[in-house]
Amino acid sequence: MLIRLETSPDEIDFSYLAALTRVNAHAGTHRTLDVLARWGDMRLNPDTAVSLLAQAAELTLDEFVAAHTESVTRHVVRCESSISATYVRWAPMGSVLAPFEHRRLRFCAECAREDAQTLGRSYWKRTDQLPGRFWCDRHRLPLSETEAEEFSVAPPTACLVSGRSCGEAVVRASVDHPGVARYFQLIQALGTRPGPVTSQVAWRVYYFFAIECGVECLDIADSHEEARRRGKTLVPLAQRVFATFPAAWLECVAKLMGHHTPNDFASMLTGLRIPPPCRAPAQAYLLMLTAMFDSVSDAMSAIDRVERLPTEIPVSPLEVTRKPWRGIKKSKAKADPGPH
Ligand SMILES: [Zn+2]
């Protein structure tokens, strides 16, 4: 027999799985997944775990993936190097089977207390786990952060004492900052697309739009020459990123990405100029796209334009040494023949 539960708004998949484990007094989340598999008459593997949770919540797989997995936020820009054979569409497996391994979890202490009172249980929210989210929008307070223990099924209320505040300073610096707001709006907008943007596409957006956005292109000297013709001034990509976000927020984000000095972080950002596959994480492309464009709609329309381009241009560093801006004009005319 299985006691089922409803999911809560914005509840992340592993939080729901942990709640099922607790309410059924199972020994661990793996036991719950086994029971769900038998109950749903499915074989348990990385691709079915999310389907099993969707069934338990009486939602379709698409509904569950859209509302309760990190796929729409974590995989908005997907690095090809992370694609494995088991990835399906949004890679909905992300967090379920190894939910609490090697990661920090964030929660709002006030929300946890309120949820425990009103819903009978506190839960881990997807929004709080967004990379760079250090505060609760509802309470405008710093989130608490806790080191996740492997296979723990604890709710946030169990971490009220052990959780460490993300810090007033970073929250003050970023809560109303236009660059940070744009970054989260971009994540949200990308999440509404039918699939992730690949890092190849994100890079091509940089490649084709850098000069228009006032950023140095791959061929630095050439791009300055073209910019002079257009009466524009260019800055290095890393400099643009540093100027777009508050320093305190960017420092925390850089540390989460494993970069502990500004130089180290800047050289990773500079590396984004090289076509994929590169070692930069998806989040670096999100920072890049936010910094390049003044608005989310400009960034989204650039992505749409680039996706319509023929894939053969450009493909490798050897082929992309010259004048990309001419490439896009020609290709656009080809892809988009209008009445001229
Ligand atoms: Zn809150």
Side-chain angles (χ1 to χ4, degrees):
M1 190 186 125
L2 179 81
I3 302 168
R4 286 194 285 166
L5 284 172
E6 282 185 17
T7 50
S8 295
D10 196 34
E11 178 165 25
I12 195 162
D13 47 14
F14 58 75
S15 173
Y16 180 59
L17 175 59
L20 283 174
T21 304
R22 290 196 305 274
V23 77
N24 283 283
H26 288 152
T29 52
H30 282 82
R31 168 78 185 134
T32 306
L33 286 172
D34 278 341
V35 172
L36 285 174
R38 254 182 289 139
W39 171 72
D41 201 20
M42 276 194 224
R43 270 172 69 92
L44 179 60
N45 65 46
D47 293 339
T48 55
V50 172
S51 304
L52 293 171
L53 292 177
Q55 266 191 16
E58 296 188 325
L59 296 173
T60 65
L61 178 61
D62 278 353
E63 284 168 346
F64 190 87
V65 167
H68 299 290
T69 67
E70 283 182 301
S71 47
V72 287
T73 52
R74 223 179 233 315
H75 300 288
V76 280
V77 175
R78 185 157 80 180
C79 290
E80 282 80 351
S81 58
S82 71
I83 296 175
S84 76
T86 57
Y87 267 63
V88 221
R89 206 165 66 125
W90 279 108
M93 242 343 278
S95 52
V96 170
L97 282 191
F100 290 95
E101 288 174 70
H102 313 299
R103 63 177 295 177
R104 293 173 183 173
L105 295 174
R106 289 185 291 274
F107 66 99
C108 167
E110 282 306 307
C111 285
R113 286 191 192 99
E114 281 180 15
D115 293 337
Q117 265 175 9
T118 56
L119 304 170
R121 67 182 178 98
S122 64
Y123 60 95
W124 303 97
K125 294 185 183 182
R126 188 172 62 164
T127 310
D128 295 346
Q129 318 311 323
L130 284 177
R133 175 66 79 177
F134 301 119
W135 65 93
C136 165
D137 258 347
R138 187 166 138 68
H139 294 101
R140 294 177 70 87
L141 289 171
L143 295 176
S144 297
E145 194 173 68
T146 179
E147 289 290 337
E149 283 172 34
E150 203 172 342
F151 305 126
S152 163
V153 293
T157 36
C159 307
L160 287 173
V161 176
S162 59
R164 276 196 320 244
S165 166
C166 288
E168 290 279 352
V170 65
V171 173
R172 264 202 312 276
S174 46
V175 70
D176 289 319
H177 192 279
V180 177
R182 203 161 70 238
Y183 165 85
F184 287 116
Q185 285 158 8
L186 179 67
I187 290 180
Q188 211 168 22
L190 289 169
T192 62
R193 288 166 45 92
V197 172
T198 63
S199 50
Q200 180 70 244
V201 166
W203 176 79
R204 281 159 60 101
V205 169
Y206 157 73
Y207 178 72
F208 285 119
F209 287 88
I211 292 180
E212 199 174 314
C213 296
V215 171
E216 282 176 353
C217 198
L218 190 64
D219 186 326
I220 293 172
D222 234 14
S223 63
H224 277 286
E225 189 190 314
E226 174 68 14
R228 260 194 303 278
R229 266 198 292 275
R230 298 195 203 177
K232 279 182 170 287
T233 318
L234 306 184
V235 296
L237 178 60
Q239 189 179 324
R240 174 62 71 82
V241 170
F242 277 91
T244 301
F245 302 102
W249 181 82
L250 203 57
E251 186 185 337
C252 290
V253 168
K255 282 182 181 161
L256 285 177
M257 292 164 78
H259 298 281
H260 293 273
T261 67
N263 279 349
D264 180 30
F265 188 53
S267 68
M268 185 277 293
L269 292 169
T270 303
L272 294 177
R273 294 167 48 241
I274 310 299
C278 76
R279 297 175 66 88
Q283 198 187 342
Y285 290 100
L286 288 172
L287 295 172
M288 176 190 87
L289 290 170
T290 309
M292 278 177 64
F293 295 93
D294 293 334
S295 77
V296 170
S297 59
D298 285 353
M300 296 299 284
S301 107
I303 290 168
D304 286 346
R305 281 175 66 187
V306 162
E307 281 189 331
R308 287 204 302 269
L309 290 174
T311 48
E312 65 269 21
I313 52 159
V315 289
S316 80
L318 295 176
E319 290 171 65
V320 293
T321 50
R322 301 273 153 195
K323 308 202 172 33
W325 42 91
R326 289 182 192 162
I328 195 166
K329 280 180 195 154
K330 261 192 256 150
S331 325
K332 194 176 170 263
K334 247 194 265 168
D336 203 1
H340 295 298

